[in-house]
Amino acid sequence: MRNHSGVILLAFVILVLGICRAYGAISAATTQEIEKVNEKGPYLGIIVPNMFEMNPLLQSPSFVADLKVPYLEYFGRRFRFGKVENEKVIIVMTGLGMLNSGITTQLLLTLFKLKGVLHYGIAGNADPQLQIGDVTVPQYWAHTGLWNWQRYGDGPNDELALESNGDYTREIGYLRFSKFQNGSENGKTVDNFLNNVWYQPEEIFPVNGVPEVRQHSFWVPVNKHYFDVAKRIEGMKFQRCVNSTCLPRSPKAVRVKSGSSSNTFVDNSAYREFLNSKFNVTPIDMESAAVALVCHQQHIPFIAIRALSDLAGGGSAVSNEADIFASLAAQNAVDASLRFIALLVPQLEFLHKAGSDS
């Protein structure tokens, strides 16, 4: 009888474990580790796209890893715990692109108790008035890779497919491909079968909204308080040389109006100029808007710091831009982020104390 009961119990355990694996449930052991971590929270989340951008932070004397729980691995992500400038932080790498960044940000916000999110990395530059190595802090981010690609033969005054359902809109604007072609016949511009792409806002579902009732968002603002704090890093001095190759001037930090993200590595001067003139974009990357959108829906304070590694599409006086200066830009982004955290911490402590006294 005991053997029979043991077999039944073993079968039940195997079944439960199988269900947990099949449905992605968090194991009991992982849940306990997360609970222990959250008892020490809340944390500032630091989200980084790639390892070469994260390594300068991990190697910095400003980062002190937690001795008891240095990291937790879950769903292909490694969440590192420690302190930066005496602020408790969780550092996580996303990987390339909008999907990876959105998933990682949502995991971070779902699993851990956070007070805010800092995202940093390198980016292409759409503003020729700035230089490689400069550090930018945009006030707004947009996902500029969500398009409605218009049927050939239709024009700006024609209704877009599914526009009447509210799925798409012409409010934001469009890119007309024929404006960027060289071909002509009999003195007239050759028609372009690619026609127009219309830029679209994201559908979002805020945590305090009605489930399955969408809202739309194109420009996502960073946290106002974080943006105010970032003004104080504008006087920083940054590295300007990689070995014997130096930039014309020392890089600077600057707050800018907007940045854009999409699943596209932009190395095209015509598209760079379009983004800058149409949307007043400075940094162009592949992750920030995804992080911004998730934080916006979850009402988590957010800011992104991006150092410029190249003038997208070329055209600067510096040759082999990204190949030479990506490491310098990554270090400048880390230096700016460390300074930002150092400035942010006393204010967070003051706000927390004021909230406790009220």
Side-chain angles (χ1 to χ4, degrees):
M1 183 67 180
R2 287 180 181 177
N3 290 339
H4 183 65
S5 299
V7 171
I8 293 175
L9 178 60
L10 178 62
F12 177 74
V13 170
I14 293 173
L15 175 63
V16 170
L17 289 175
I19 291 173
C20 288
R21 292 192 184 98
Y23 291 98
I26 304 176
S27 69
T30 301
T31 300
Q32 289 178 356
E33 290 294 325
I34 292 171
E35 289 174 351
K36 289 179 182 178
V37 168
N38 283 331
E39 287 175 359
K40 301 178 182 179
Y43 298 84
L44 177 67
I46 301 179
I47 299 176
V48 193
N50 296 300
M51 187 60 69
F52 83 90
E53 294 162 307
M54 185 167 64
N55 277 338
L57 175 60
L58 299 181
Q59 295 165 2
S60 167
S62 297
F63 172 65
V64 180
D66 189 293
L67 296 178
K68 292 184 178 179
V69 186
Y71 62 85
L72 186 150
E73 294 177 344
Y74 183 67
F75 263 44
R77 270 70 179 179
R78 176 173 289 180
F79 298 92
R80 293 172 168 85
F81 311 110
K83 286 188 176 182
V84 171
E85 302 293 344
N86 208 37
E87 172 71 12
K88 288 175 287 188
V89 299
I90 302 176
I91 304 170
V92 61
M93 188 190 81
T94 66
L96 185 70
M98 300 283 284
L99 178 62
N100 277 326
S101 301
I103 290 173
T104 305
T105 304
Q106 186 61 67
L107 278 172
L108 178 67
L109 270 55
T110 299
L111 297 175
F112 302 105
K113 186 185 296 183
L114 298 185
K115 63 177 69 173
V117 167
L118 164 64
H119 174 60
Y120 79 82
I122 68 173
N125 176 27
D127 182 356
Q129 300 302 312
L130 294 180
Q131 177 192 265
I132 292 170
D134 285 346
V135 176
T136 62
V137 186
Q139 187 177 10
Y140 296 93
W141 284 93
H143 175 201
T144 50
L146 185 58
W147 296 345
N148 181 306
W149 205 312
Q150 198 170 23
R151 179 181 299 186
Y152 177 69
D154 286 354
N157 296 323
D158 293 306
E159 185 176 287
L160 301 177
L162 301 180
E163 184 178 4
S164 60
N165 294 338
D167 292 345
Y168 299 100
T169 178
R170 291 175 295 170
E171 293 180 1
I172 297 168
Y174 67 99
L175 167 65
R176 185 171 182 83
F177 285 98
S178 61
K179 288 185 177 181
F180 298 92
Q181 66 186 35
N182 296 320
S184 63
E185 293 179 0
N186 300 322
K188 294 183 179 180
T189 300
V190 176
D191 212 0
N192 192 313
F193 292 159
L194 292 176
N195 205 15
N196 309 316
V197 292
W198 293 81
Y199 289 81
Q200 300 300 314
E202 286 277 3
E203 289 185 355
I204 63 171
F205 299 87
V207 291
N208 62 349
V210 179
E212 298 183 349
V213 175
R214 65 185 176 183
Q215 298 179 22
H216 287 99
S217 182
F218 186 73
W219 292 113
V220 180
V222 304
N223 178 263
K224 184 180 183 301
H225 173 63
Y226 286 11
F227 193 66
D228 289 341
V229 172
K231 182 174 177 58
R232 297 173 61 190
I233 72 172
E234 289 185 314
M236 284 186 66
K237 301 296 183 183
F238 298 95
Q239 294 185 31
R240 62 182 290 257
C241 297
V242 176
N243 299 323
S244 60
T245 304
C246 295
L247 295 164
R249 62 163 171 79
S250 296
K252 61 183 180 180
V254 57
R255 297 189 305 171
V256 297
K257 191 66 176 178
S258 55
S260 75
S261 308
S262 68
N263 283 323
T264 307
F265 185 91
V266 177
D267 194 23
N268 181 278
S269 60
Y271 192 57
R272 170 195 84 208
E273 292 168 3
F274 170 80
L275 288 174
N276 182 250
S277 61
K278 177 67 179 179
F279 298 120
N280 196 20
V281 160
T282 301
I284 308 168
D285 67 36
M286 301 175 69
E287 295 87 19
S288 295
V291 181
L293 281 159
V294 173
C295 291
H296 180 57
Q297 294 183 79
Q298 303 293 320
H299 297 291
I300 297 293
F302 160 82
I303 197 167
I305 296 174
R306 286 282 184 161
L308 307 175
S309 61
D310 63 293
L311 183 64
S316 76
V318 183
S319 61
N320 301 320
E321 301 160 342
D323 292 341
I324 295 175
F325 292 105
S327 61
L328 178 144
Q331 184 63 59
N332 289 355
V334 169
D335 291 345
S337 298
L338 292 173
R339 180 59 179 158
F340 172 81
I341 295 171
L343 293 167
L344 183 67
V345 169
Q347 299 196 28
L348 288 176
E349 291 176 350
F350 171 78
L351 291 172
H352 179 71
K353 185 177 186 301
S356 299
D357 294 341
S358 61

